[in-house]
Amino acid sequence: MNDVTFADLGLGPNVLKAVEEAGYTTPTPIQLEAIPHILAGGDVTGIAQTGTGKTAAFVLPMIHRLARGRARARMPRCLILCPTRELAAQVAENFEKYGKHLKLTMALLIGGVSFKEQEGLLQRGVDVLIATPGRLMDQFERGKLLLMGVDYLIIDEADRMLDMGFIPDIEKIVSKIPAKRQTLLFSATFPTDIQRLAKTFQRDPVKIEVARPTDAAKTITQHVVHIPTNDAKAKRTALRRVIEACDVKNGIVFCNRKVEVDIVAASLQKHGHDAAAIHGDLPQAFRTEVMQRFRDGDLKLLVASDVAARGLDIPDVDHVFNYSPPPKDEDYVHRIGRTGRAGRTGKSFTVVSPSDEKSWGFVLKMIQQDVEEFMPEGLLEELENLPPEERSSRGGRSGGGRSGSSVSSSRARGRGERPERGRSRSKPIEDAPKADVDVAAAPAPAPADEAPKPERTEKPKRERAPKAAKVEKAEPADVAEQPEKAEKPARTERGSRGGRPPRDQKRKDDDPILAPAPERVKGFGDDVPAFLKR
């Protein structure tokens, strides 16, 4: 079977010429089995681990089939759906590379890229449209393209689509494509939901599975680095020492969270390593530039989230570093599969802290093989001698008042205190553990924020003082000139909910006509005139 060449698979001369110019002569197992079925027009479900040549397995026969026919305006003939922008761009590169001797047109619809140029191509008609589901639905709903002319549908990295929540979008897209079509579905794993998709979207597909998804490539030498602490600073230190102990031409560092990607990349740059970050929150133009630098050999270390773990074909990666074991154990195979591609050798290193042991156990259970222990010389001693403030994430093991504390840690404890909130300044040593945690969370801005507090409390006092002076000025004048008006504070009683009695009583006291009768009718005795009684 190793004697079979691409020419034996039935590909056209123009495609074979491009393959030969790319330096390939022998097809991989997935290509060997998939290409003849695709050329025959049947549906195919391809299950193969990353790095086995899945992209070329559908790109080569598609180019051959698209050589006959012509695209119409806004109606692509072949639609390829990819989960990420990077993977879509890579598929586009494959079409350009293998289709350069054929007059095929192609458009790429991905987020973060101007649509004007692609819109012009779609208006003239394209043979191949490569897109992410979100951008495709956006342009379809705007009326910029029509899907009733699609003869070939390819869903790449279907399990990744499932993980990213694209399945509802894909179902909506498929409902707008003609039922009479050829559908190809490629995936690294084949969970139940992907099996359901295959039954729904495909007609009598040929299932091709060339390797178990839990098998790591045999050309990859795997290592694990166990460290005794969960401290993030210690973990970054261990990662740097591992990288420095290896002869790294280029490598990918995988992190579980986007925020870790940024922090680890900054740490590597700070310590003199040529590194750059890439994850889904970064602008597309920046991600494209970083990936191109890495492919061209201008960037040594790519710090990435799992957005780069699937499908990216960078054949010359010789090292993969896992900052932590992945949360999903099957992603471990996809990550380390970035190295050791196409028969090349590669090495992988995974840093495991005490909190990572459970995840690492699942990985070992899945791959069912031993992983070699690795420990750079002097690393354990270095981790043990880390300054106290760098161990703060372990619940306050800071060494507070020990004589060996550094000057910087003492200053940090001083900054981390909260004396203004009812706490005595005379207890810095007792408060030291909490102070270290506060310093780790927000080191520098704290003193600046606390300093102006007395000024803010003095300001209202200056504003209240003039008001008090005004009242004192007004009182003597009012009392002297209008004694009756001195009772004006009684307005609060008038306006209160006390009712009319206080108001009536005031009128009787102030009005001479309504004054108490005994004082006004003196001398009449008991015969008080009627008009005075009113």
Side-chain angles (χ1 to χ4, degrees):
M1 192 173 285
N2 293 333
D3 297 334
V4 178
T5 65
F6 283 103
D8 300 325
L9 301 180
L11 296 170
N14 289 326
V15 178
L16 291 173
K17 183 179 179 182
V19 170
E20 186 180 349
E21 290 174 356
Y24 299 111
T25 55
T26 305
T28 64
I30 186 68
Q31 296 165 358
L32 184 65
E33 295 192 42
I35 289 176
H37 289 292
I38 297 174
L39 290 175
D43 289 358
V44 170
T45 300
I47 312 298
Q49 68 184 61
T50 185
T52 55
K54 286 191 306 238
T55 304
F58 64 78
V59 167
L60 294 175
M62 276 297 104
I63 291 174
H64 176 90
R65 300 204 70 186
L66 290 168
R68 299 185 297 273
R70 186 177 177 184
R72 290 175 287 175
R74 295 193 298 165
M75 295 174 65
R77 299 165 61 198
C78 175
L79 174 62
I80 303 177
L81 297 175
C82 302
T84 65
R85 303 170 185 180
E86 284 78 15
L87 185 54
Q90 179 182 297
V91 173
E93 289 175 6
N94 273 262
F95 264 96
E96 290 175 348
K97 179 167 63 174
Y98 298 125
K100 61 183 179 180
H101 299 301
L102 295 169
K103 295 181 180 179
L104 296 176
T105 55
M106 178 190 65
L108 180 64
L109 288 185
I110 57 176
V113 176
S114 173
F115 183 67
K116 289 185 178 180
E117 181 182 347
Q118 307 301 328
E119 186 178 356
L121 289 171
L122 288 172
Q123 288 293 341
R124 293 192 295 272
V126 294
D127 296 294
V128 181
L129 177 60
I130 305 168
T132 51
R135 176 52 72 97
L136 179 72
M137 285 304 301
D138 181 41
Q139 299 305 328
F140 177 82
E141 289 168 359
R142 293 184 185 186
K144 301 297 184 181
L145 64 108
L146 304 171
L147 298 177
M148 74 259 313
V150 173
D151 295 321
Y152 311 102
L153 171 65
I154 302 169
I155 302 173
D156 195 14
E157 296 288 351
D159 53 347
R160 190 66 174 162
M161 294 276 199
L162 178 67
D163 293 341
M164 298 176 72
F166 285 139
I167 297 304
D169 286 340
I170 293 174
E171 290 173 338
K172 192 180 296 185
I173 291 167
V174 172
S175 69
K176 304 179 186 305
I177 296 175
K180 189 178 180 181
R181 65 176 186 269
Q182 183 179 13
T183 304
L184 311 178
L185 187 147
F186 286 84
S187 180
T189 60
F190 201 51
T192 305
D193 288 334
I194 301 302
Q195 295 175 30
R196 180 184 61 81
L197 284 183
K199 291 179 182 178
T200 305
F201 297 161
Q202 297 181 302
R203 294 174 298 174
D204 302 322
V206 174
K207 183 181 176 184
I208 301 170
E209 187 169 4
V210 298
R212 290 194 311 119
T214 57
D215 286 344
K218 302 301 182 185
T219 55
I220 303 172
T221 305
Q222 303 174 57
H223 303 82
V224 60
V225 182
H226 288 282
I227 61 173
T229 172
N230 292 322
D231 179 32
K233 178 76 175 186
K235 206 167 195 180
R236 293 194 296 272
T237 302
L239 175 67
R240 291 198 308 272
R241 297 297 171 261
V242 171
I243 293 172
E244 290 161 3
C246 300
D247 182 18
V248 181
K249 175 188 171 186
N250 60 359
I252 303 177
V253 180
F254 283 110
C255 302
N256 292 343
R257 298 194 299 270
K258 296 172 185 176
V259 65
E260 285 181 340
V261 171
D262 292 327
I263 293 172
V264 170
S267 173
L268 289 171
Q269 291 168 2
K270 178 183 175 183
H271 290 84
H273 293 278
D274 181 21
I278 179 171
H279 57 70
D281 287 349
L282 294 171
Q284 181 59 36
F286 178 80
R287 289 161 62 180
T288 303
E289 179 190 352
V290 169
M291 288 302 302
Q292 194 57 50
R293 286 174 54 206
F294 190 68
R295 284 194 179 99
D296 294 343
D298 297 331
L299 178 66
K300 184 176 180 180
L301 293 171
L302 181 70
V303 186
S305 63
D306 282 310
V307 70
R310 298 283 189 98
L312 294 184
D313 185 17
I314 310 170
D316 294 331
V317 176
D318 57 4
H319 285 77
V320 167
F321 304 93
N322 288 313
Y323 183 64
S324 301
K328 295 178 66 176
D329 46 1
E330 62 266 23
D331 283 340
Y332 174 80
V333 175
H334 301 307
R335 285 183 177 186
I336 69 171
R338 298 301 93 215
T339 186
R341 297 172 76 85
R344 296 179 177 89
T345 59
K347 294 181 179 181
S348 71
F349 295 83
T350 303
V351 180
V352 177
S353 65
S355 61
D356 298 326
E357 290 292 349
K358 188 174 181 181
S359 298
W360 181 243
F362 289 134
V363 169
L364 292 176
K365 186 177 179 180
M366 181 195 66
I367 62 176
Q368 296 180 359
Q369 67 181 83
D370 294 330
V371 176
E372 185 180 342
E373 296 273 352
F374 182 80
M375 180 59 64
E377 185 178 352
L379 175 60
L380 288 177
E381 291 77 5
E382 183 176 1
L383 297 183
E384 282 297 319
N385 295 323
L386 282 177
E389 66 270 19
E390 298 183 2
R391 294 189 185 181
S392 59
S393 62
R394 288 201 277 172
R397 265 188 71 190
S398 65
R402 289 185 298 181
S403 59
S405 302
S406 65
V407 176
S408 61
S409 64
S410 300
R411 290 175 181 170
R413 285 196 299 272
R415 288 197 301 269
E417 292 176 9
R418 303 176 189 170
E420 289 81 2
R421 299 182 185 176
R423 294 175 65 179
S424 171
R425 286 181 177 267
S426 62
K427 298 182 180 180
I429 294 177
E430 293 176 12
D431 295 338
K434 291 187 179 180
D436 286 341
V437 175
D438 293 341
V439 170
D449 292 343
E450 291 173 5
K453 281 185 181 176
E455 296 178 8
R456 285 199 290 268
T457 52
E458 288 173 9
K459 214 171 184 180
K461 289 181 182 177
R462 288 199 296 272
E463 291 174 1
R464 283 198 295 269
K467 288 183 182 176
K470 280 185 182 176
V471 173
E472 288 172 8
K473 259 187 182 177
E475 279 179 5
D478 290 345
V479 173
E481 294 172 1
Q482 300 177 2
E484 297 82 8
K485 288 185 181 179
E487 299 293 326
K488 281 248 169 159
R491 274 184 166 179
T492 55
E493 294 177 12
R494 233 178 120 187
S496 70
R497 300 195 177 205
R500 289 182 180 174
R503 204 158 48 234
D504 294 345
Q505 186 61 43
K506 182 180 183 301
R507 288 176 59 197
K508 288 179 184 178
D509 292 342
D510 294 347
D511 197 321
I513 296 175
L514 297 178
E519 294 182 10
R520 297 283 184 180
V521 291
K522 191 175 182 181
F524 281 92
D526 294 332
D527 296 324
V528 180
F531 73 91
L532 290 177
K533 290 182 179 180
R534 289 191 204 115

